[in-house]
Amino acid sequence: LLDRLVGSQAVMNAAHFLALPVLALHYSAVPDVGPAAAGVALGVFLAIARIGPLVTGLLADRMSPWQAIRVGLVLRALGFAAIPFAETATSACLAAAVLGAGVALHEPAVYGALGLAPEGKRDRLLMRHVQALNFGCVMGPGLALVAGWSTTTTFLIASSTTALVTLWACVQRPLS
């Protein structure tokens, strides 16, 4: 199961980096959002995604890693889905906040699940996890660049892909 979780991380990161690099570009082109609010929305995302684990990591410990993974993925999918429809600075920041909250809950929960692996397998899983994340970082933007998709299309594909990973995570039956 944990090997499959690592594989799902490559898919999740490809979806994430398919869309996230064009977040500010997308919002800058929305008339009622503009460049300044686009920068604020990106800052909201980053602040929640990177500072949020101080709280969400504790929450993930109380829930269980797999419950937190599922909820985090749902929030990520909803955030990606909302971005193309955000037409004001407020809705842009709200969509970015939902996406950031999903990242803040999902990422520490994955590490929590991997930390439950037997000691002899844990190091290999963590190494493969980092490789999967890096693979996704390269594949996501590469796909967007080669395909020439619009920013709206990248967010909808990222949302759909995240939803599929969420469905996969929901049918998994972890041992612990």
Side-chain angles (χ1 to χ4, degrees):
L1 177 63
L2 294 176
D3 289 317
R4 293 190 307 267
L5 176 61
V6 167
S8 77
Q9 287 298 99
V11 175
M12 180 63 249
N13 230 32
H16 184 81
F17 284 101
L18 169 71
L20 196 64
V22 296
L23 178 70
L25 177 66
H26 175 78
Y27 279 152
S28 294
V30 176
D32 290 338
V33 177
V40 171
L42 185 58
V44 165
F45 163 76
L46 289 171
I48 292 173
R50 295 299 151 220
I51 298 169
L54 295 172
V55 174
T56 58
L58 297 172
L59 182 62
D61 285 343
R62 295 193 101 199
M63 296 171 78
S64 91
W66 279 93
Q67 285 178 319
I69 287 168
R70 293 171 184 133
V71 173
L73 285 168
V74 167
L75 290 172
R76 288 177 90 156
L78 291 173
F80 278 132
I83 288 170
F85 302 103
E87 296 180 354
T88 66
T90 301
S91 61
C93 287
L94 183 60
V98 170
L99 180 60
V103 170
L105 186 57
H106 175 249
E107 288 183 358
V110 169
Y111 284 105
L114 294 175
L116 296 173
E119 191 173 327
K121 189 175 181 181
R122 190 177 315 133
D123 288 345
R124 185 179 60 79
L125 278 170
L126 289 170
M127 181 198 63
R128 288 186 46 237
H129 178 250
V130 170
Q131 290 172 334
L133 292 176
N134 289 335
F135 179 78
C137 282
V138 172
M139 291 307 298
L143 286 171
L145 185 63
V146 170
W149 290 321
S150 71
T151 58
T152 297
T153 301
T154 62
F155 288 109
L156 295 176
I157 290 171
S159 177
S160 300
T161 303
T162 305
L164 289 173
V165 174
T166 303
L167 289 173
W168 171 84
C170 286
V171 299
Q172 300 309 302
R173 299 287 174 242
L175 300 173
S176 56

